[in-house]
Amino acid sequence: MFNDYIKINKADTSGFLTNFVNAYNADLIIAEQNEDKIELLEAKLAQSYTEFDEQKTINADLTSTLAETKSKLVDYEQNALEAQKKAHQHHATQRELLLSKQQISSLQKELSTLKSGENPKRLREQIKRIKEKSTSDKKRLSVQEGALKEARRAIAQATNLLQTKDETIRLLNKQLAHNTGSGLYHNGEHHLIIWPEKTIVERPDGEQFEARSLLYMHQSGRAALIHFDPYDGEAYLSKAPRAGLRPSPETKEFAKNWLYTVNSLQGGVVKDKDMMAVNYNDDVKTKDSCLILEG
């Protein structure tokens, strides 16, 4: 910028100084304008972050409301089906009641006709036939009522079994999730803990195999996986890294937060939410991810 204002004239040092001061003042004005622009942009950026956080909160609330609405919709649909079923049953009952009334009316008319007739023998036969039909209808109705009660009892038993099954499965899944990785062997300063998943192991000769392992831990707190080598039938510890055990800063930060939550906030109780695994690794297994056995 100074090149635009300063024109060096050896014979005129006063003019050179004047041009220099003018150039400096011009650059100072531009710098102040740029600072104002930067402050304005930073304010807009902060406002954008605030609006973004507010939108995230709104989206979370909308997601929760949508889930509750879906759940209520399922309940409404179930209630509608039950209401439709009851309405259908009520209609059938009303229809059967109407037919029964018509039959009773017909029988009453027939009985009146018989009573007013001049043939006592025919009247007795008709009365006998009506009584027999009535007895048969009562027996049939009693059988149907018994079958209905038995069906209701079976439905209640099936419902209880389903509820018991679901609760049992839930408890077993919870128990399995919490117990995987639990202590298996304790003897003095030596401990063995179940490792919850398979690992790929490399023998000193370069041969690889996949197997379940145990975590060996000394009372001092140092630990390593111990594997069974199917080639020689012996158990070996995993080889320590060249630089020793050095957790990454991210790993130590996650461990700090998890342990603080479980120990300080929950009194040492592990809850379902604490069992959610965090896995940044790819599913593809490579040689670098293998555990090397001690030679």
Side-chain angles (χ1 to χ4, degrees), residues 157-171:
Q157 292 177 351
T159 302
N160 291 334
L161 287 175
L162 287 175
Q163 292 175 349
T164 302
K165 181 204 69 173
D166 293 340
E167 180 65 15
T168 301
I169 291 175
R170 187 186 70 81
L171 292 176

Side-chain angles (χ1 to χ4, degrees), residues 132-180:
E132 291 176 351
K133 186 177 185 306
S134 177
T135 302
S136 176
D137 291 342
K138 288 181 179 180
K139 290 181 179 179
R140 178 175 58 83
L141 182 60
S142 177
V143 172
Q144 290 177 349
E145 288 178 349
L148 181 59
K149 291 181 180 179
E150 186 64 28
R152 289 175 178 171
R153 188 181 301 109
I155 291 174
Q157 292 177 351
T159 302
N160 291 334
L161 287 175
L162 287 175
Q163 292 175 349
T164 302
K165 181 204 69 173
D166 293 340
E167 180 65 15
T168 301
I169 291 175
R170 187 186 70 81
L171 292 176
L172 288 176
N173 288 335
K174 181 177 180 180
Q175 181 181 1
L176 177 62
H178 287 190
N179 289 344
T180 300

Side-chain angles (χ1 to χ4, degrees), residues 55-83:
Q55 188 61 41
K56 285 176 62 179
T57 301
I58 292 174
N59 290 342
D61 293 340
L62 289 176
T63 301
S64 177
T65 302
L66 179 59
E68 292 177 359
T69 303
K70 288 183 177 179
S71 178
K72 290 181 179 178
L73 181 58
V74 172
D75 294 337
Y76 291 156
E77 290 177 348
Q78 183 64 29
N79 292 336
L81 290 176
E82 291 294 332

Side-chain angles (χ1 to χ4, degrees), residues 205-217:
D205 60 4
E207 188 72 22
Q208 296 181 6
F209 62 92
E210 183 178 26
R212 292 297 297 267
S213 309
L214 294 174
L215 179 66
Y216 166 74
M217 177 173 287

